[in-house]
Amino acid sequence: MSHALNPAVQQVWPPAERRPDDVSPKHMALAALRHEIDQLDDEILALFERRLAIAARVGRAKDAPAGPHLKLRPDREQAVLQRIAARARPDNREAVRALWREVVGHGLTRQGPTRVQVWAPVEPTRAFDAARRRFGAAAEMRLAGDPQAALKWAAEGQGVAVLAVNAGDPWWIGLRRQWTSLSVFEGFGGAVPTALALGKIDPAALPAGPRVLVSAGGDAGDGAGRRLGLATHHGWTICLTDAPLSVGGPEGCVGAVA
């Protein structure tokens, strides 16, 4: 007994070595689904390449008012991810966020290379993987052996430094001293970040979220707003606060995390 094939399946099924009367309804249904996936892949590819082309145009527009900051816009990335995640089905949101991180990351490379140095003497692979998820596979990443060298590199506008907090080197004190051109813009490790990302980010482009505060004297419970201490060293404290502080002000705000 022979089966009539759906026209959409005839292109892909049956294989040349099989006769139509050997094809079961189950195989026909599977072939139709695979053909539909192929069509969707073609549509996704066309849209992705169109997005990359527009991202390159955005990069050229960013070049117009030349300034000292990296092209990263954490506020825009945050808004894109929040909007897309809100539109996704709840059971798909984790996959959608991961996918869009890659989409955004590859778009950024059309505006210039994204370079990241990671310093984490304890569990370096975990910190490296977290940074990879944040900046995507398109980013050029390497481990750094010295947080001060990574800070200097970032302060020169070379890229982003991801540095572990409370790992034996109070590098973060320098954000109030010699590294004042750098801003924290991301945290890794959960509600209490164990590593921070920083670079020459336009303060106006920082994400909405807790401010990062570096202060001398007192403890993490003093001052305006609720505070969550991350590390201390000889009277210095780095913490998160929900107070709406401006970067570079007298309170010691050095950035924000999403």
Side-chain angles (χ1 to χ4, degrees):
M1 175 179 178
S2 62
H3 298 282
L5 292 179
N6 185 311
V9 182
Q10 288 178 343
Q11 305 174 48
V12 294
W13 193 272
E17 67 273 12
R18 299 191 64 171
R19 300 191 310 273
D21 57 359
D22 293 331
V23 181
S24 70
K26 180 179 179 180
H27 286 146
M28 291 170 57
L30 180 59
L33 290 173
R34 287 172 172 167
H35 182 64
E36 185 175 359
I37 286 177
D38 289 343
Q39 290 181 313
L40 289 172
D41 284 345
D42 291 343
E43 294 176 26
I44 291 170
L45 174 61
L47 290 172
F48 180 54
E49 291 186 327
R50 181 181 172 190
R51 193 186 194 283
L52 289 177
I54 294 174
R57 291 169 57 190
V58 170
R60 291 192 291 272
K62 287 180 181 179
D63 283 337
H69 303 115
L70 297 176
K71 290 184 178 181
L72 290 171
R73 295 286 312 194
D75 59 339
R76 169 64 180 163
E77 294 178 38
Q78 181 185 47
V80 168
L81 289 169
Q82 287 179 343
R83 187 182 75 84
I84 291 297
R87 292 171 63 88
R89 290 168 48 121
D91 55 338
N92 290 335
R93 282 175 184 160
E94 183 177 353
V96 166
R97 288 191 184 98
L99 173 62
W100 247 258
R101 280 292 186 194
E102 291 294 336
V103 169
V104 171
H106 281 280
L108 283 172
T109 62
R110 295 303 172 99
Q111 304 173 19
T114 302
R115 300 186 178 94
V116 183
Q117 291 192 9
V118 180
W119 177 79
V122 179
E123 296 186 322
T125 302
R126 184 176 181 181
F128 194 91
D129 288 346
R132 174 65 76 193
R133 288 192 297 272
R134 167 61 176 82
F135 297 103
E140 300 174 13
M141 297 184 56
R142 69 180 182 88
L143 290 171
D146 176 15
Q148 297 302 320
L151 286 165
K152 181 178 183 297
W153 176 81
E156 293 170 350
Q158 300 292 326
V160 173
V162 174
L163 306 179
V165 180
N166 214 358
D169 187 318
W171 56 265
W172 40 270
I173 296 175
L175 299 178
R176 291 289 303 275
R177 294 174 174 174
Q178 67 268 44
W179 311 120
T180 56
S181 65
L182 298 175
S183 294
V184 175
F185 66 94
E186 187 65 272
F188 305 97
V192 183
T194 56
L196 300 172
L198 55 153
K200 296 189 74 171
I201 305 296
D202 182 353
L206 289 174
R211 291 336 229 188
V212 182
L213 196 66
V214 174
S215 57
D219 59 45
D222 295 336
R226 295 174 299 175
R227 299 192 183 189
L228 177 64
L230 303 181
T232 61
H233 180 79
H234 292 178
W236 285 86
T237 300
I238 182 170
C239 64
L240 302 182
T241 177
D242 58 4
L245 303 176
S246 298
V247 173
E251 299 90 351
C253 180
V254 297
V257 297

